[in-house]
Amino acid sequence: MLFEIKPKSRRKDLYDREKELKEFGDALKLGENLILILGIRRLGKSSLLNVALNELKLPYAKIDVRSLYFTFGTIPQDVLVREILESLLRSTRRFRKFRVGLERLVDSIEGIEVSGLKVRIGRKVHLIDILEKIDSWGERVIIAFDEAQYLRFSGLQYDGLIAYAIDNLPNVTFVLTGSEVGMLHDFLGLDNPKKPLFGRYAREIVLERFSRDKSIDFLIKGFSELSIDVPQDEIEDAVEKLDGIVGWLTMYGYLRGVRKLSHEEALSELLNMARSLVREELDKILSHSKRYGMILKAVSLGNERWSEIKEFVESKTGRINDAKFSILLRNLVKYGYLDKISGKYRIPDPIVREIIRR
Ligand code: ADP
Ligand code: MG
């Protein structure tokens, strides 16, 4: 169902993204070791990743790095190892050919016990040893980190580890997704000579919002799956307000088509649901500085220029020096909460903009 709220994992539930899936497949065919899936929240990165991994019929591990970070406050190596191995085992459930070999491989690692799909780690293990072992298996294995920018919150240098793996482990391909595109780029440092991944090639698959025509077609197809007739003007109004962000289009379709709300009710319930989601997402950065909230407020109210935004923020929270203010602005761009286009700032997501403005 196109209007299923959870991230998609089957091709038939995924609207379009043909080009992106093909690019993903091409990168793997060429044996590339680093694939990035980038784009602001709710453009369908996790969905694309799930579908791509399911279609490939290769062993893979998929780790939700954000949820690990929120559970542990850091990314502990033993937890990561366990998650990778358990996820790998799960992914080969349906392929006997891989399953037996993989179980044997994991079982042969000292300090690790496998029972069914569960992995127990008896003593300290190093991720790099595990990856070497996996590489030596001889099959291509994909290690996917969803919301990978959270890997930076760790005592361990996962960037260095990925660099080592890319240089030395030809059978391992890393796929990293990131909503905080700037943060992910900073963490990886592909063009930062001071960082371990400097100079490495990465395939970048950038997800864009749907065009107006695609958004309309998406809603029409979704409603027709549910055998529901929705007036064209309502569809166009929703498309206008949700600006091609598939996550919001899906939520609208779900509220309208599955929950059977009217057009107005669906939009207002969408805003309700979005409010708690967005608050939760913003919580972390607002805990770093209250000024982030003020900057977003300023921009949501139509202040676009550096100086206008600064003036607004200062009128609320007192003087702030230029350099510090610039850093805060730049961080919001890196987190994906602001866009900067020819010197003007904007909140890229219309629903986030609306929520902050109120
Ligand atoms: P992201 O990981 O970029 O935040 P998700 O993959 O979680 O985005 O998708 C957000 C929402 O949009 C989910 O409800 C998901 O089901 C839906 N969705 C994303 N991409 C598509 C697509 N191509 N077709 C249909 N629904 C999609
Ligand atoms: Mg996601």
Side-chain angles (χ1 to χ4, degrees), residues 9 38 41 75 95 101 111 187 234 244-245 291 296 302 336 343 356:
S9 50
L38 308 172
R41 291 161 192 81
I75 312 292
F95 313 116
F187 165 69
E234 296 185 3
I245 296 184
R291 289 201 167 102
L296 290 173
I356 291 172

Side-chain angles (χ1 to χ4, degrees), residues 7 40-47 49 64 66 146-147 177-179:
I40 57 168
R41 291 161 192 81
R42 286 171 280 273
L43 287 185
K45 296 175 297 299
S46 300
S47 297
L49 175 64
D64 180 348
R66 181 174 190 272
D146 199 8
E147 297 295 355
T177 84
S179 294

Side-chain angles (χ1 to χ4, degrees), residues 2 4-8 13-15 17 41-47 218 246-247 250:
L2 288 174
E4 167 65 54
I5 296 274
K6 284 194 302 246
K8 305 299 192 290
D13 298 325
L14 192 77
Y15 179 84
R17 300 304 190 205
R41 291 161 192 81
R42 286 171 280 273
L43 287 185
K45 296 175 297 299
S46 300
S47 297
F218 172 68
V246 60
T250 302

Side-chain angles (χ1 to χ4, degrees), residues 26 215 223 236 238 290-291 333:
D26 288 350
S215 302
F223 288 127
E236 286 182 11
K290 281 221 166 31
R291 289 201 167 102
V333 174

